[in-house]
């Protein structure tokens, strides 16, 4: 299991990009069952964008996209106030656990909510109407609401036990197969039936070949 703590109080930095990229390297280089776990917490303080560059944000967003496409199940545990880089990473994982009392926040850049890709993922995953006030007004999304919207899979008083159970379950999943299903999931919201059927049939063919190979004497 590969683990990283992401501190949402700090903006994207070269160090945070390097740490997340190193985690991705470990997961990609590992042979056999594995899981990536993230512990995310914290929101940026006032003035957090001072000195922040588009280049730094771009590198962070690209590394998050790499996390999102790993051939390994990813699990996040959020606690307390969760915004900034912590929210970014939480929304980019496959399975999400929120400690009781957790709140998801799109933080302000000083004038309005930060227009990063967390806003995009919130809309993609929960819908425009459900997150409109969070995106426009910065209204926090409490853990129970996040679960109702599908942004969190479980809300618990015992996140450590929930993480252990989730990791135990995902270690049964073939990493590459999960990555294929994940990509089909991503594409389903933007791809027509005609364009989607080819990749789905290819995945079906791959699954049947795996079954046939396993059944062969």
């Amino acid at each position: 299991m590969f683990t990283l703590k992401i501190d949402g109080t700090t903006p994207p930095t070269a160090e945070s990009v390097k740490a997340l990229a190193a985690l991705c390297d470990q997961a990609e280089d590992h042979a056999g069952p594995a899981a990536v776990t993230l512990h995310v917490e914290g929101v940026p303080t006032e003035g957090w964008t001072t000195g922040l560059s588009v280049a730094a944000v771009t590198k962070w967003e690209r590394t998050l996209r790499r996390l999102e496409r790993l051939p390994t199940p990813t699990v996040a545990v959020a606690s307390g106030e969760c915004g900034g880089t912590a929210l970014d990473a939480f929304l980019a994982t496959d399975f999400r656990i929120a400690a009781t009392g957790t709140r998801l926040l799109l933080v302000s850049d000083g004038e309005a909510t930060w227009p990063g890709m967390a806003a995009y993922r919130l809309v993609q995953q929960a819908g425009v109407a459900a997150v409109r006030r969070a995106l426009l007004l910065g209204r926090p999304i409490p853990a129970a609401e996040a679960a109702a919207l599908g942004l969190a899979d479980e809300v618990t008083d015992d996140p450590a036990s929930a993480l252990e159970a989730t990791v135990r379950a995902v270690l049964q999943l073939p990493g590459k197969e999960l990555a294929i299903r994940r990509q089909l999931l991503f594409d389903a919201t933007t791809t027509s039936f005609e364009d989607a059927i080819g990749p789905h049939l290819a995945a079906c063919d791959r699954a049947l070949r795996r079954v046939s190979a396993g059944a062969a004497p």
Side-chain angles (χ1 to χ4, degrees):
M1 185 166 67
F2 308 107
T3 302
L4 180 67
K5 181 177 180 180
I6 295 184
D7 181 3
T9 64
T10 61
T13 62
E15 290 74 18
S16 59
V17 170
K18 183 178 180 180
L20 186 56
L23 185 76
C24 292
D25 286 340
Q26 289 179 301
E28 290 169 346
D29 293 342
H30 180 76
V36 168
T37 62
L38 301 178
H39 296 268
V40 301
E41 183 178 10
V43 296
T45 56
E46 185 177 350
W48 68 278
T49 57
T50 302
L52 184 63
S53 68
V54 171
V57 175
T58 299
K59 290 177 181 178
W60 171 249
E61 295 288 6
R62 286 177 176 170
T63 310
L64 281 174
R65 189 58 169 161
R66 185 179 169 195
L67 169 74
E68 205 167 33
R69 292 176 167 179
L70 284 178
T72 306
T74 55
V75 185
V77 178
S79 54
E81 305 284 86
C82 181
T85 54
L87 179 61
D88 290 340
F90 185 73
L91 296 174
T93 55
D94 296 317
F95 305 97
R96 303 161 195 169
I97 299 163
T100 302
T102 297
R103 301 198 308 168
L104 309 183
L105 299 100
L106 277 175
V107 294
S108 173
D109 61 12
E111 296 182 329
T113 53
W114 179 244
M117 291 301 285
Y120 171 85
R121 289 187 175 94
L122 281 171
V123 173
Q124 286 287 309
Q125 295 171 22
V128 173
V131 298
R132 175 173 48 83
R133 286 183 294 169
L135 264 64
L136 299 181
L137 302 177
R139 186 186 73 83
I141 302 175
E145 183 179 339
L149 294 174
L151 299 171
D153 298 303
E154 182 175 357
V155 178
T156 176
D157 292 327
D158 187 0
S161 294
L163 175 61
E164 183 180 351
T166 301
V167 169
R168 190 164 54 244
V170 301
L171 286 177
Q172 309 303 314
L173 303 172
K176 186 171 289 187
E177 293 304 308
L178 179 135
I180 291 172
R181 300 326 185 260
R182 182 199 294 139
Q183 191 58 51
L184 294 174
L185 183 72
F186 289 158
D187 293 344
T189 58
T190 57
T191 306
S192 68
F193 178 89
E194 289 74 16
D195 290 335
I197 191 169
H200 277 267
L201 289 175
C204 290
D205 180 62
R206 176 182 172 85
L208 292 173
R209 289 175 183 273
R210 286 169 55 86
V211 171
S212 178

